[in-house]
Coordinates of all heavy atoms in Angstrom, one line a residue:
E3 N -12.3 -15.1 -27.1 CA -12.5 -14.3 -25.9 C -13.3 -15.1 -24.8 O -12.9 -15.1 -23.7 CB -13.1 -13.0 -26.2 CG -13.1 -12.0 -25.0 CD -11.8 -11.7 -24.5 OE1 -10.8 -11.7 -25.3 OE2 -11.6 -11.4 -23.3
F4 N -14.3 -15.8 -25.3 CA -15.2 -16.5 -24.3 C -14.3 -17.6 -23.7 O -14.5 -17.9 -22.5 CB -16.4 -17.0 -24.9 CG -16.3 -18.3 -25.8 CD1 -16.4 -19.5 -25.2 CD2 -16.0 -18.1 -27.1 CE1 -16.2 -20.6 -26.0 CE2 -15.8 -19.3 -27.9 CZ -15.9 -20.5 -27.4
A5 N -13.5 -18.3 -24.5 CA -12.7 -19.4 -24.0 C -11.6 -18.9 -23.1 O -11.3 -19.5 -22.0 CB -12.0 -20.1 -25.2
W6 N -11.1 -17.7 -23.4 CA -10.1 -17.1 -22.5 C -10.7 -16.8 -21.1 O -10.0 -17.0 -20.1 CB -9.5 -15.9 -23.1 CG -8.4 -15.2 -22.3 CD1 -8.5 -14.1 -21.5 CD2 -7.1 -15.7 -22.1 NE1 -7.3 -13.9 -20.8 CE2 -6.4 -14.8 -21.2 CE3 -6.3 -16.7 -22.6 CZ2 -5.1 -15.0 -20.8 CZ3 -5.0 -16.9 -22.3 CH2 -4.4 -16.0 -21.3
M7 N -11.9 -16.3 -21.1 CA -12.6 -15.9 -19.8 C -12.8 -17.2 -19.0 O -12.6 -17.2 -17.8 CB -13.9 -15.2 -20.1 CG -13.8 -13.8 -20.7 SD -15.4 -13.1 -21.1 CE -16.1 -13.0 -19.5
V8 N -13.1 -18.3 -19.6 CA -13.3 -19.5 -18.9 C -12.0 -20.0 -18.4 O -11.8 -20.5 -17.2 CB -13.9 -20.6 -19.8 CG1 -13.9 -22.0 -19.1 CG2 -15.3 -20.2 -20.2
L9 N -10.9 -19.9 -19.2 CA -9.6 -20.3 -18.8 C -9.1 -19.5 -17.6 O -8.6 -20.1 -16.6 CB -8.6 -20.1 -20.0 CG -7.2 -20.7 -19.8 CD1 -7.3 -22.2 -19.9 CD2 -6.3 -20.1 -20.9
E10 N -9.4 -18.2 -17.6 CA -9.0 -17.4 -16.5 C -9.7 -17.7 -15.2 O -9.1 -17.8 -14.1 CB -9.3 -15.9 -16.8 CG -8.2 -15.2 -17.7 CD -8.4 -13.7 -17.7 OE1 -9.5 -13.3 -17.9 OE2 -7.4 -13.0 -17.6
M11 N -11.0 -17.9 -15.3 CA -11.8 -18.3 -14.1 C -11.4 -19.6 -13.5 O -11.3 -19.7 -12.3 CB -13.3 -18.3 -14.5 CG -14.0 -17.0 -14.8 SD -15.8 -17.0 -14.9 CE -15.9 -17.8 -16.5
I12 N -11.1 -20.6 -14.3 CA -10.7 -21.9 -13.8 C -9.3 -21.7 -13.2 O -9.0 -22.2 -12.1 CB -10.7 -22.9 -14.9 CG1 -12.1 -23.2 -15.4 CG2 -10.1 -24.2 -14.4 CD1 -12.3 -24.1 -16.5
G13 N -8.4 -21.1 -13.9 CA -7.0 -20.9 -13.5 C -6.9 -20.2 -12.1 O -6.1 -20.5 -11.3
N14 N -7.8 -19.2 -12.0 CA -7.8 -18.4 -10.7 C -8.2 -19.2 -9.5 O -7.9 -18.8 -8.4 CB -8.7 -17.2 -10.9 CG -8.1 -16.1 -11.8 OD1 -6.9 -16.1 -12.0 ND2 -9.0 -15.3 -12.3
C15 N -8.8 -20.3 -9.7 CA -9.3 -21.2 -8.6 C -8.2 -22.1 -8.1 O -8.2 -22.6 -7.0 CB -10.4 -22.1 -9.1 SG -12.0 -21.2 -9.5
S16 N -7.1 -22.3 -8.9 CA -6.2 -23.4 -8.7 C -5.4 -23.2 -7.4 O -5.4 -24.1 -6.5 CB -5.3 -23.6 -9.9 OG -4.5 -22.4 -10.0
I17 N -4.8 -22.1 -7.2 CA -3.9 -21.9 -6.0 C -4.7 -21.9 -4.7 O -4.4 -22.6 -3.8 CB -3.1 -20.6 -6.2 CG1 -2.2 -20.6 -7.4 CG2 -2.3 -20.3 -4.9 CD1 -1.2 -21.7 -7.4
P18 N -5.8 -21.1 -4.6 CA -6.6 -21.1 -3.4 C -7.1 -22.5 -3.0 O -7.0 -23.0 -1.8 CB -7.8 -20.2 -3.6 CG -7.3 -19.3 -4.7 CD -6.4 -20.1 -5.6
I19 N -7.6 -23.3 -4.0 CA -8.2 -24.6 -3.7 C -7.0 -25.5 -3.3 O -7.1 -26.3 -2.3 CB -8.9 -25.2 -4.9 CG1 -10.2 -24.4 -5.1 CG2 -9.3 -26.6 -4.7 CD1 -11.1 -24.8 -6.3
A20 N -5.9 -25.4 -4.0 CA -4.8 -26.3 -3.7 C -4.2 -26.0 -2.3 O -3.9 -26.9 -1.5 CB -3.6 -26.1 -4.7
L21 N -4.1 -24.7 -1.9 CA -3.7 -24.4 -0.5 C -4.6 -24.9 0.6 O -4.2 -25.4 1.6 CB -3.4 -22.9 -0.4 CG -2.2 -22.4 -1.1 CD1 -2.2 -20.8 -1.1 CD2 -0.9 -22.9 -0.6
L22 N -5.9 -24.8 0.3 CA -6.9 -25.3 1.2 C -6.7 -26.9 1.4 O -6.8 -27.4 2.5 CB -8.3 -25.0 0.7 CG -8.8 -23.6 0.8 CD1 -10.1 -23.4 0.1 CD2 -8.9 -23.1 2.3
M23 N -6.5 -27.6 0.3 CA -6.3 -29.0 0.4 C -5.0 -29.4 1.1 O -4.9 -30.3 1.9 CB -6.3 -29.6 -1.0 CG -7.7 -29.6 -1.7 SD -9.0 -30.4 -0.7 CE -8.3 -32.1 -0.6
I24 N -3.9 -28.6 0.8 CA -2.7 -28.8 1.5 C -2.9 -28.6 3.0 O -2.3 -29.4 3.9 CB -1.6 -27.9 1.0 CG1 -1.2 -28.3 -0.4 CG2 -0.3 -27.9 1.9 CD1 -0.3 -27.3 -1.1
G25 N -3.6 -27.5 3.4 CA -3.9 -27.3 4.8 C -4.6 -28.4 5.5 O -4.3 -28.8 6.6
A26 N -5.6 -29.0 4.7 CA -6.4 -30.1 5.3 C -5.5 -31.3 5.4 O -5.5 -32.0 6.5 CB -7.5 -30.5 4.3
S27 N -4.6 -31.6 4.5 CA -3.6 -32.7 4.6 C -2.7 -32.5 5.7 O -2.3 -33.5 6.4 CB -2.9 -32.9 3.3 OG -3.7 -33.1 2.2

């Protein structure tokens, strides 16, 4: 369960950060 929580937190960051980087590019 602790590993799944970490996985979720990291995964939830991916799309917002990627879109911010695409916007910067």
Side-chain angles (χ1 to χ4, degrees):
E3 188 61 28
F4 77 90
W6 181 259
M7 291 177 64
V8 173
L9 191 70
E10 280 192 315
M11 287 189 287
I12 296 175
N14 289 338
C15 295
S16 63
I17 299 298
I19 291 177
L21 287 174
L22 289 172
M23 290 305 300
I24 291 172
S27 299

